[in-house]
Amino acid sequence: MKLRHTLGALVTAAAFALTATPAFAQNTVKLGLIAEFSGPFAEYGQQIHGGMKAYMKQHGDTVAGKKIEIIQKDTTGPSPDIAKRLAGDLITRDKVDFLVGFGLTPNALAVAPVATQAKKPMIVMNAATSIITTKSPYIARVSMTLPQVTEPLAQWAFKNGIKKVYTVISDYGPGLDAEAAFTKAFKAAGGEIVGGVRVPLQNPEFAPFVQRAKDAKPEAVFLFLPAGEQGIAFMKTYKERGLAEAGIKLIATGDITDDGVLDAMGDPTLGLTTSFHYSAAHDSAENKAFLKAYADANGTQKRPNFMAAAGYDGMAAIYESLKKTKGSVDADAIMGALKGMKIMSPRGPITIDAETRDVVQTIYIRKVERVNGGLYNVEFDKIADVKDPGK
Ligand code: PHB
């Protein structure tokens, strides 16, 4: 009687242990992917997710004894309220261990306090306003910052005979960062800013802005627009308004010649000089492997762009940090593992700066050329180990 009682208690205790600490939760690391999957910025989510899938295709879905699972959520565009709500849902309902993704700055900024409060590592795979990483100690960024890619272009432009520039930027975080960084570095080099306009983030109508740029008679226009469809519309207007014929050059951050839309932008982009951290034409073994993995995981219709490369590198950062923590998802342990991490990326070597948790990388100066029938950003100059200059 006594024995039976003890056995019964043991069985009950074992059953309780199983339900109290679900075995599945322990063996799975869940990544809550918050990005833009519909609306005019839908490509951002697709590219980031495509890059993540490419990494998993190449490295498998298990690391440090844990199975990696992605739970995907759509912000539908620049929607801070939705992004914040999705982050809350992912943490409380889906019990995710990481928050990842973030194409647009407003979405990343909205989620930063959630990451802090819930103590969840947040891996930024695009959003590129400088200030983002300062908004939570649990953020690490593997993409870029606008000042980081802009400053080298301003210096290159002055050295190459451009003395008067008119700036055209998208009127929100990354655009304002680009405008400030270009102005500061170009003036410091000895150049003059003859004017500038800020265009709306949503549905910009470029004709009046391009006309104003033309009327200011600069030697060049410096441009930042968020990657994707807007670049196609801008280039069309630039051509229609005859700026090239008027002798006005165009220089830009590589967002505009994003590999995902470059072919659709067509010949008006030939010769366009940009500065950036990733080109699909980058000549390295790592990039070849990335392009192959991307095609294997996503098909060959679309060329991966810088957001795909950051999605891929973000996964590398997560896998490597989990190896270091032996599978622990403790946020402080993960952040400790990420700080100072070096990754051989498809873009070249990158480091997650130990102090700022922001990416340090090579910035390339590139020119659009036709290569094997397609348009590509061909790198012809580079500056190694560029940090975000604001930090
Ligand atoms: C951003 O919102 O931070 C952003 C979006 C698109 C880019 C660059 C930055 O091409």
Side-chain angles (χ1 to χ4, degrees):
M1 186 66 192
K2 197 169 178 223
L3 180 66
R4 202 185 297 156
H5 183 79
T6 313
L7 268 180
L10 271 177
V11 169
T12 315
F16 178 76
L18 274 179
T19 46
T21 47
F24 288 131
Q26 283 184 343
N27 291 326
T28 306
V29 172
K30 292 186 181 178
L31 313 182
L33 167 58
I34 302 176
E36 304 74 14
F37 287 98
S38 60
F41 299 98
E43 283 296 308
Y44 292 17
Q46 305 297 349
Q47 286 278 3
I48 289 171
H49 195 198
M52 293 172 73
K53 284 194 279 190
Y55 190 87
M56 293 180 80
K57 189 91 185 170
Q58 206 181 12
H59 294 88
D61 64 359
T62 306
V63 63
K66 306 278 170 146
K67 194 166 160 31
I68 304 293
E69 186 190 332
I70 299 172
I71 303 171
Q72 179 187 341
K73 300 282 178 192
D74 178 14
T75 67
T76 72
S79 321
D81 293 344
I82 296 178
K84 191 167 187 169
R85 177 172 53 72
L86 293 174
D89 290 352
L90 282 165
I91 288 163
T92 53
R93 236 187 276 158
D94 298 298
K95 308 263 186 281
V96 299
D97 303 297
F98 286 77
L99 296 166
V100 308
F102 310 102
L104 289 160
T105 285
N107 298 332
L109 287 176
V111 173
V114 182
T116 305
Q117 208 186 10
K119 283 190 95 183
K120 297 292 171 193
M122 170 169 165
I123 311 297
V124 175
M125 295 167 167
N126 185 60
T129 303
S130 181
I131 203 171
I132 290 170
T133 42
T134 70
K135 295 297 179 188
S136 170
Y138 294 109
I139 294 179
R141 174 159 45 196
V142 294
S143 50
M144 58 151 175
T145 78
L146 259 301
Q148 180 182 49
V149 296
T150 300
E151 201 177 87
L153 182 68
Q155 287 157 351
W156 179 88
F158 189 81
K159 253 191 249 150
N160 285 273
I162 296 170
K163 306 285 184 256
K164 284 183 184 178
V165 164
Y166 189 91
T167 58
V168 179
I169 56 101
S170 188
D171 192 7
Y172 79 120
L176 301 173
D177 269 7
E179 183 190 68
F182 191 91
T183 301
K184 188 165 174 228
F186 194 62
K187 280 188 178 168
E192 186 190 346
I193 302 293
V194 297
V197 284
R198 298 171 177 178
V199 307
L201 171 60
Q202 300 267 38
N203 309 312
E205 168 49 59
F206 289 118
F209 300 115
V210 170
Q211 188 60 45
R212 263 196 255 168
K214 187 181 182 189
D215 294 344
K217 299 193 179 5
E219 292 164 5
V221 165
F222 165 71
L223 175 70
F224 165 78
L225 291 176
E229 300 296 321
Q230 291 193 14
I232 302 175
F234 183 91
M235 285 311 295
K236 199 164 161 276
T237 311
Y238 195 81
K239 192 170 163 12
E240 279 165 9
R241 295 273 158 162
L243 274 79
E245 286 79 7
I248 302 171
K249 295 190 182 79
L250 182 63
I251 54 175
T253 59
D255 306 84
I256 186 159
T257 55
D258 154 17
D259 277 292
V261 295
L262 189 49
D263 267 331
M265 289 164 78
D267 286 353
T269 58
L270 280 169
L272 175 52
T273 303
T274 58
S275 57
F276 224 34
H277 55 301
Y278 178 72
S279 164
H282 182 69
D283 188 12
S284 73
E286 289 81 11
N287 192 39
K288 284 199 183 80
F290 166 62
L291 294 174
K292 183 180 179 307
Y294 189 90
D296 287 350
N298 303 285
T300 52
Q301 294 98 320
K302 196 158 291 166
R303 201 194 287 175
N305 71 0
F306 62 102
M307 297 190 198
Y312 180 86
D313 291 337
M315 288 303 274
I318 290 167
Y319 274 48
E320 289 307 312
S321 64
L322 286 168
K323 279 186 203 165
K324 282 200 203 171
T325 65
K326 300 193 168 40
S328 164
V329 291
D330 174 76
D332 293 309
I334 292 288
M335 295 315 293
L338 289 172
K339 287 177 189 175
M341 183 182 283
K342 291 184 186 305
I343 294 169
M344 200 54 201
S345 157
R347 65 188 108 162
I350 66 170
T351 306
I352 298 174
D353 187 271
E355 268 170 49
T356 63
R357 292 163 277 101
D358 222 335
V359 62
V360 181
Q361 59 191 331
T362 305
I363 301 303
Y364 304 86
I365 311 289
R366 314 96 48 87
K367 202 171 245 139
V368 178
E369 290 177 16
R370 195 166 280 288
V371 181
N372 299 330
L375 294 174
Y376 280 91
N377 296 292
V378 177
E379 296 163 353
F380 64 89
D381 204 353
K382 64 179 179 181
I383 305 115
D385 296 325
V386 182
K387 282 188 173 194
D388 179 29
K391 299 202 173 86

